[in-house]
Amino acid sequence: QVQLVESGGGLVPAGGSLRLSCAASGRTFVGYAKGWFRQAPGKEREFVAAITWDGGSTNYADSVKGRFTISRDNAKNTVYLQMNSLKPEDTAVYYCNTGISMATMTRGGGTYWGQGTQVTVSS
């Protein structure tokens, strides 16, 4: 059974930082891209960031460029999202995802999703 489990969310003041982690189990996903999406209350889920299997290519939503950094550790089957200079508009449930390619990620994600972790940024 494939599981993606996010952690690291919480409540931080504006300007603060958080580091999200997503550990996969049940399957290694060799060659797959991984990424993060988020969904704020009353809004549709949106793409945040993605990274290729070898980490050689990343893609970010314009709203997080320069503030968020995605990385991965394939030995640990884990993807990370370092979030700096957080803003109240970053408040959302953050989901990790894995897909067969970067294009899959930027088009809405692949098959496997985590349960989400809440990030709340206070003003």
Side-chain angles (χ1 to χ4, degrees), residues 1 4 9 17 20 24 33 43-44 51 56-57 84 92 100-101 108 110 120:
Q1 180 181 359
L4 301 178
S17 298
L20 305 183
K43 296 187 177 181
E44 293 187 355
I51 186 168
S57 181
N84 298 329
I100 196 168
S101 67
T120 303

Side-chain angles (χ1 to χ4, degrees), residues 94-108:
Y94 283 71
Y95 299 90
C96 71
N97 179 263
T98 185
I100 196 168
S101 67
M102 184 71 84
T104 298
M105 306 306 292
T106 58
R107 292 172 187 165

Side-chain angles (χ1 to χ4, degrees), residues 35-109:
W36 291 91
F37 292 74
R38 67 186 182 186
Q39 187 167 21
K43 296 187 177 181
E44 293 187 355
R45 187 164 56 195
E46 64 176 359
F47 169 79
V48 174
I51 186 168
T52 53
W53 164 257
D54 64 0
S57 181
T58 57
N59 197 333
Y60 296 93
D62 288 343
S63 59
V64 306
K65 281 180 181 176
R67 300 188 298 121
F68 290 11
T69 302
I70 189 170
S71 61
R72 65 189 294 167
D73 184 337
N74 290 335
K76 297 180 179 179
N77 216 359
T78 299
V79 62
Y80 306 96
L81 186 68
Q82 178 66 44
M83 306 186 295
N84 298 329
S85 302
L86 282 161
K87 304 175 181 180
E89 51 263 45
D90 294 319
T91 295
V93 177
Y94 283 71
Y95 299 90
C96 71
N97 179 263
T98 185
I100 196 168
S101 67
M102 184 71 84
T104 298
M105 306 306 292
T106 58
R107 292 172 187 165

